[in-house]
Amino acid sequence: MTDARPQPIPPSPSSAVPAKRWVYVIPVAAIMYMLAYLDRNNVSVILPYMHGDLELSNADKGLVGGIFFVGYVFLQIPAAILAQRWSARKTVVLLMVAWGLAASLSGLVQTKSQFYAARFVLGFFEGGVWPAVLILLASWFPLRERARANALWMACLPLSSVFMAPLSGWMLDHASWRWVLVLQGVPPLVWAVVWWFAVADRPAQARWISRAEAGHVERSIAADEAAKPPAGSGSYLDAVKQKSVLVLIGVYFFWITGFYGFNLWLPSVIKELTQDGSSTEVGLLTAIPFTVALVVMIANAAWSDRTGRRRQAVAVPLVVGIAALLLGQAVDGALPRMLLLCVTAAAVYAPYGPFWAIPGQLLRFEVVAVAMGLINALGNLGGFAGPYLVGWLTDATGSSVTGFAVLSGFLAVAVALVTLGLRTGTHPVRRLSEQAAEGA
């Protein structure tokens, strides 16, 4: 990179001007994805209370959680391209309606095979939402703000568990698991209307933003794009040829294997700690680790934006997660194990904001949509591997210890890849991060 190349624009003295986007864009997107995450993860609260319905073994339960991610792969790249070249706003609203209907229909299944199919279809329609929203945020937030914007939106992940796990638990105390699934598919259909009227694809199209704010944002993003190396034609091949994209796919796969393996089985572990407590009690206790994760996730993203140390903001929390997962299998007592569950939850959620800021720093807008679709599509196959591995190993060994030890190994590979595969000497992650941080 030469000195003549434009640098990211520092904030103007009137930095209060470009602020409305944080109030309008982030909350609407966060609530939307909270509902998606509810329909994805409610099964983790429901599974311990199905009381033999559908005759699911532990391996079957792992497959129910994991097969969602097989369907999740298919619309990643098509939705990312639609969001970039057509409209992120329209792409997401179509997917919201489709996943809401699929979520409600999953409560009507009668057999194990139908349950697998319902979860696959739900994953199919939810799959395109994540990359489409990342494309939307890339049109609203410059690089120096990207990790914070990502983290505030992605805070919906632990936040949904904080609110929705107790909600699912309470609903299970008053209704069958079938009615819980049917009713929890309705809110996305309602929020689709809010999304349609509240969200715009870019600042110039928003009614609620001042022209000064829109101009500030779009000039900053244009300067970010100009500072990146040329991208080629933006084809699938251009994205795959980027070494950094291949590394990020690997990082995400091994991280997400540990992430969802832990997430799906967390309520079952807490149920064991409470000695078969009620579903409401388990739901409330499950919310505690996610509350801790929410705070750590936002703090880590803010540190990443301030320092530009994206790799460390991904690797260090995962190292902590590995230690906590392994210690959790070695200690006795409900309180120490609960504390370690909180540490693990914080560790596996913390990298989200910094990690998803990296593609936008490495790649120009023409290719970043395809790249993020590839990273999310292939990386999220770990969401199949993690839950199924834990369930299968629990059945095979009679204990969850082996399963969680294997998850620790997957997180260790993610740490090695992000530390060695994205070296600052060969990749511009740190360099661009530091330039963005200088503007802050």
Side-chain angles (χ1 to χ4, degrees), residues 34-50 119 159-185 187 267 278-287:
M34 279 178 66
L35 300 176
Y37 210 64
L38 166 65
D39 289 329
R40 176 187 314 183
N41 271 18
N42 54 12
V43 71
S44 67
V45 178
I46 287 167
L47 285 173
Y49 296 93
M50 290 181 71
R119 293 286 297 174
L159 197 58
S160 66
S161 297
V162 169
F163 292 116
M164 303 309 183
L167 173 64
S168 295
W170 178 83
M171 291 177 72
L172 281 168
D173 278 340
H174 296 84
S176 72
W177 63 268
R178 294 182 184 279
W179 272 110
V180 173
L181 291 176
V182 169
L183 293 174
Q184 290 185 350
S278 71
S279 54
T280 299
E281 181 184 3
V282 171
L284 287 169
L285 288 173
T286 299

Side-chain angles (χ1 to χ4, degrees), residues 416-436:
L417 285 173
V418 78
T419 303
L420 303 176
L422 293 176
R423 284 183 167 179
T424 55
T426 56
H427 294 278
V429 178
R430 175 75 179 276
R431 185 170 64 248
L432 286 169
S433 295
E434 287 172 344
Q435 290 170 353

Side-chain angles (χ1 to χ4, degrees), residues 59 117 123 127 143 145 152 167 170 181 186 196 203 233 251 330 380 407:
L143 284 176
E145 301 170 343
L152 285 172
L167 173 64
W170 178 83
L181 291 176
V186 174
W196 181 257
S233 66
V251 172
N380 263 294
L407 295 185

Side-chain angles (χ1 to χ4, degrees), residues 40-412:
R40 176 187 314 183
N41 271 18
N42 54 12
V43 71
S44 67
V45 178
I46 287 167
L47 285 173
Y49 296 93
M50 290 181 71
H51 305 301
D53 289 358
L54 308 185
E55 299 180 352
L56 299 173
S57 68
N58 283 321
D60 293 332
K61 290 176 182 178
L63 188 56
V64 166
I67 201 167
F68 171 95
F69 293 96
V70 179
Y72 195 81
V73 169
F74 289 91
L75 290 185
Q76 292 287 319
I77 294 171
I81 293 172
L82 277 176
Q84 180 194 11
R85 299 182 183 177
W86 178 48
S87 166
R89 169 176 169 257
K90 294 174 183 176
T91 300
V92 170
V93 81
L94 291 173
L95 293 171
M96 287 180 74
V97 172
W99 107 57
L101 293 173
S104 289
L105 290 173
S106 66
L108 306 180
V109 300
Q110 299 299 318
T111 67
K112 183 164 56 177
S113 297
Q114 289 175 2
F115 204 14
Y116 295 154
R119 293 286 297 174
F120 176 90
V121 171
L122 178 63
F124 180 85
F125 288 121
E126 276 195 26
V129 177
W130 184 270
V133 176
L134 286 171
I135 295 299
L136 180 78
L137 296 182
S139 298
W140 279 93
F141 297 93
L143 284 176
R144 64 173 172 270
E145 301 170 343
R146 195 71 54 79
R148 281 168 290 168
N150 288 345
L152 285 172
W153 166 53
M154 295 171 192
C156 63
L157 304 182
L159 197 58
S160 66
S161 297
V162 169
F163 292 116
M164 303 309 183
L167 173 64
S168 295
W170 178 83
M171 291 177 72
L172 281 168
D173 278 340
H174 296 84
S176 72
W177 63 268
R178 294 182 184 279
W179 272 110
V180 173
L181 291 176
V182 169
L183 293 174
Q184 290 185 350
V186 174
L189 305 178
V190 177
W191 199 251
V193 178
V194 178
W195 174 275
W196 181 257
F197 289 104
V199 172
D201 282 306
R202 53 189 59 87
Q205 298 172 350
R207 297 187 183 94
W208 43 263
I209 195 172
S210 69
R211 294 306 94 195
E213 181 177 349
H216 171 91
V217 172
E218 293 187 348
R219 286 193 304 273
S220 296
I221 290 173
D224 288 340
E225 291 300 304
K228 299 174 192 175
S233 66
S235 69
Y236 293 88
L237 186 59
D238 279 325
V240 174
K241 284 192 300 186
Q242 301 277 347
K243 180 186 174 184
S244 56
V245 172
L246 296 176
V247 172
L248 289 169
I249 289 170
V251 172
Y252 202 50
F253 173 83
F254 287 103
W255 164 28
I256 291 300
T257 299
F259 176 89
Y260 279 110
F262 169 78
N263 252 22
L264 179 76
W265 291 100
L266 176 61
S268 296
V269 173
I270 289 178
K271 185 172 184 284
E272 179 187 329
L273 293 181
T274 61
Q275 298 179 345
D276 293 329
S278 71
S279 54
T280 299
E281 181 184 3
V282 171
L284 287 169
L285 288 173
T286 299
I288 295 173
F290 294 115
T291 303
V292 177
L294 173 65
V295 175
V296 174
M297 182 179 175
I298 294 172
N300 189 50
W303 179 83
S304 170
D305 272 347
R306 187 174 66 253
T307 65
R309 296 177 182 272
R310 304 295 196 207
R311 292 184 309 137
Q312 291 89 333
V314 174
V316 172
L318 293 183
V319 171
V320 173
I322 292 165
L325 266 178
L326 294 175
L327 279 173
Q329 308 310 307
V331 302
D332 292 319
L335 182 58
R337 291 187 69 187
M338 188 67 186
L339 289 173
L340 287 167
L341 288 176
C342 291
V343 173
T344 305
V348 296
Y349 275 94
Y352 261 109
F355 177 85
W356 283 109
I358 292 173
Q361 291 179 331
L362 289 172
L363 305 168
R364 294 179 63 85
F365 194 74
E366 307 95 273
V367 76
V368 76
V370 173
M372 288 196 294
L374 279 171
I375 293 165
N376 204 41
L378 300 180
N380 263 294
L381 289 175
F384 172 81
Y388 183 74
L389 268 175
V390 175
W392 181 78
L393 288 168
T394 300
D395 276 342
T397 65
S399 168
S400 62
V401 173
T402 307
F404 282 104
V406 170
L407 295 185
S408 299
F410 276 82
L411 293 179

